[in-house]
Amino acid sequence: MGIKSLSQLNLQNAKVILRCDFNVPIKDGVIGDAGRIVASLSTIKKLLAANCSVVIIAHLGRPKGEVKPELSLAPIAKKLGELLNQEVLFSPEITGISDKARALKSGQILLLENIRFLSSETSKEESERMKLANELSTYGDIYIGDGFGAVHRKHASVYELAKLLPHAAGDLISGEVAVLEQLTKNPSRPYGVVLGGAKVSDKIGVISNFLDKANLIAIGGGMVFTFLAAQGKEIGKSLVENDLIDTVKELMIRAEKLGVKFLLPIDIVVASEFSADSLPTTVDSDQIPSDQMGLDIGPKSAENFALEIKLCKTVFWNGPMGVFEFTNFSYGTKVIAQALTQVDGMAVVGGGDSAAAVRKLGFADKDFGYISTGGGASLEYLEGKELPGLIALS
Ligand code: AMP
């Protein structure tokens, strides 16, 4: 796609506007997994080394145009300051601060409050987004896009703002795109795609796009029950998207025709309630009792998936195999994560949630070939869609 990189801009002493993705898990002001903040450091450090002043625009969660104190970026400013070992200024105001932004000195960083507190950021009306982008463009002379997790969104600070100023992608976006290109152009084979998580609807496009590209597709997580239902199996109280049953039937037929190995779990860990304390039982996947719900793939399936994954030379994984947040239902995800660490080739963990899952389960980033910071963004890229935030940086 030919996006511009940092090295193509003269950064020395520049007044930079940097778009980051600081969408980290946060509860009562305490950050759970700071992966996305850490991922932004490379670009920020380069800008500081070039004596830039940096205004950072970022988002957290989906406040939908309202001020939600629990989604404030104030704790992020503090965390970023700790990671950089320097003060990070914070502005609760997002608009009307042109003078303050332009008065920043070389080496100073100002983080603005959650941009999604403004409805114009995500507005469907181009004119509203443009108005905000025009205002933000007065805060600096150069735009650097580095919020990979938001590049699939046509939002004011991701798309319109980039087009108003000389621009480039930061190191994070450049790195993410390089990995995604490797996954789409000439991947080493066998090529496996492992998908889990709650919703099939999020992943239909990727599965469909991969049918003629991957050699192996393995499905787990809550989305698996729509596939099992499509095979006519009893799925009890498990998650299901009934309106997609016909679609997934077609996907499985196409997979068979194309000779793609399409793995579904043969056993399932079930429980009577969606709760951390629910008693887990393992049953064959065609023996799910009607009063139970599937909350993890079973151990036999996990071993089977792991065996196949380890034979691959390229693997992309998005979405947990079960409710990994509850220890009783985290085994499947752990076995798959372990298998990815043993791939003799390129193993990519895609997405903020999947990344948080592997870290929560005790794995280190360096155990994997690459951990992407953007779930939705990497899935849409792999679906073959054009991403507005990348187009704007070309
Ligand atoms: P997603 O955002 O679609 O990747 O979904 C991630 C979420 O899926 C995690 O919070 C998991 O707890 C959840 N999940 C995984 N497996 C199941 C399951 N069998 N039933 C319900 N939720 C699940």
Side-chain angles (χ1 to χ4, degrees):
M1 153 159 330
I3 57 170
K4 287 193 190 138
S5 66
L6 277 184
S7 59
Q8 288 172 268
L9 287 179
N10 181 8
L11 296 172
Q12 210 56 40
N13 298 314
K15 291 193 179 299
V16 171
I17 302 173
L18 172 67
R19 178 60 160 95
C20 290
D21 167 13
F22 288 153
N23 194 17
V24 293
I26 192 162
K27 205 167 176 220
D28 302 327
V30 179
I31 297 164
D33 173 58
R36 281 178 161 152
I37 308 176
V38 172
S40 72
L41 295 178
S42 164
T43 298
I44 297 174
K45 284 181 181 166
K46 267 193 191 167
L47 298 177
L48 295 176
N51 281 324
C52 298
S53 64
V54 189
V55 174
I56 304 182
I57 301 173
H59 72 278
L60 171 60
R62 292 186 179 175
K64 301 201 168 143
E66 282 173 39
V67 175
K68 299 244 168 87
E70 68 277 16
L71 294 177
S72 169
L73 290 187
I76 313 276
K78 190 161 167 276
K79 181 74 187 177
L80 183 61
E82 284 165 16
L83 290 168
L84 288 167
N85 206 14
Q86 78 163 61
E87 188 184 12
V88 170
L89 303 168
F90 178 69
S91 173
E93 296 83 32
I94 304 169
T95 53
I97 53 156
S98 199
D99 291 346
K100 189 168 156 186
R102 297 205 72 93
L104 285 181
K105 298 197 176 64
S106 286
Q108 283 192 311
I109 303 174
L110 173 69
L111 173 64
L112 308 189
E113 182 55 287
N114 193 341
I115 188 76
R116 290 192 186 165
F117 283 180
L118 302 178
S119 58
S120 45
E121 164 71 357
T122 57
S123 173
K124 298 254 182 298
E125 296 295 328
E126 192 187 338
S127 59
E128 283 183 31
R129 296 197 309 269
M130 203 61 209
K131 194 165 164 232
L132 174 61
N134 272 316
E135 159 94 20
L136 296 172
S137 72
T138 64
Y139 298 0
D141 299 324
I142 282 180
Y143 174 91
I144 311 268
D146 217 17
F148 180 71
V151 289
H152 56 317
R153 307 286 185 207
K154 207 173 206 178
H155 290 170
S157 68
V158 176
Y159 183 68
E160 279 83 10
L161 178 58
K163 300 210 293 186
L164 290 174
L165 292 169
H167 53 247
D171 283 354
L172 176 63
I173 285 193
S174 296
E176 296 268 8
V177 170
V179 170
L180 289 166
E181 278 183 354
Q182 233 177 304
L183 288 179
T184 39
K185 292 179 191 154
N186 259 332
S188 303
R189 293 183 180 278
Y191 185 2
V193 177
V194 185
L195 297 171
K199 286 169 85 184
V200 194
S201 42
D202 290 350
K203 286 161 193 153
I204 287 285
V206 191
I207 300 172
S208 178
N209 198 39
F210 269 115
L211 282 177
D212 58 359
K213 296 185 178 68
N215 306 99
L216 166 80
I217 297 180
I219 311 271
M223 62 188 264
V224 90
F225 301 100
T226 303
F227 289 83
L228 297 179
Q231 291 180 329
K233 293 184 174 132
E234 165 74 67
I235 55 158
K237 296 194 291 179
S238 310
L239 274 187
V240 64
E241 286 175 75
N242 283 314
D243 52 332
L244 288 176
I245 288 184
D246 286 341
T247 311
V248 307
K249 263 186 204 163
E250 275 169 38
L251 286 178
M252 289 190 284
I253 293 169
R254 266 179 67 207
E256 199 173 340
K257 276 192 191 143
L258 289 163
V260 183
K261 207 177 244 183
F262 203 87
L263 291 184
L264 293 174
I266 48 170
D267 57 347
I268 299 285
V269 182
V270 298
S272 55
E273 300 295 335
F274 186 89
S275 136
D277 317 315
S278 277
L279 204 63
T281 322
T282 301
V283 297
D284 286 346
S285 60
D286 56 359
Q287 298 292 327
I288 300 176
S290 59
D291 61 344
Q292 305 266 308
M293 61 180 76
L295 296 178
D296 194 9
I297 59 171
K300 277 191 267 177
S301 312
E303 293 308 329
N304 188 24
F305 283 18
L307 265 179
E308 295 284 351
I309 288 168
K310 284 188 260 184
L311 295 175
C312 290
K313 293 275 186 246
T314 307
V315 184
F316 173 77
W317 173 33
N318 178 285
M321 294 292 105
V323 186
F324 72 94
E325 296 93 334
F326 303 156
T327 309
N328 282 344
F329 308 103
S330 64
Y331 182 75
T333 304
K334 206 165 186 170
V335 172
I336 299 314
Q338 184 76 44
L340 255 86
T341 67
Q342 292 166 0
V343 168
D344 178 18
M346 167 102 166
V348 178
V349 180
D353 288 348
S354 310
V358 296
R359 292 191 190 111
K360 183 175 166 6
L361 294 173
F363 294 91
D365 290 23
K366 63 173 170 45
D367 295 336
F368 303 92
Y370 190 77
I371 300 191
S372 170
T373 55
S378 46
L379 287 173
E380 287 200 18
Y381 187 105
L382 294 173
E383 272 178 54
K385 288 190 183 158
E386 293 209 310
L387 310 186
L390 296 184
I391 292 173
L393 295 174
S394 320

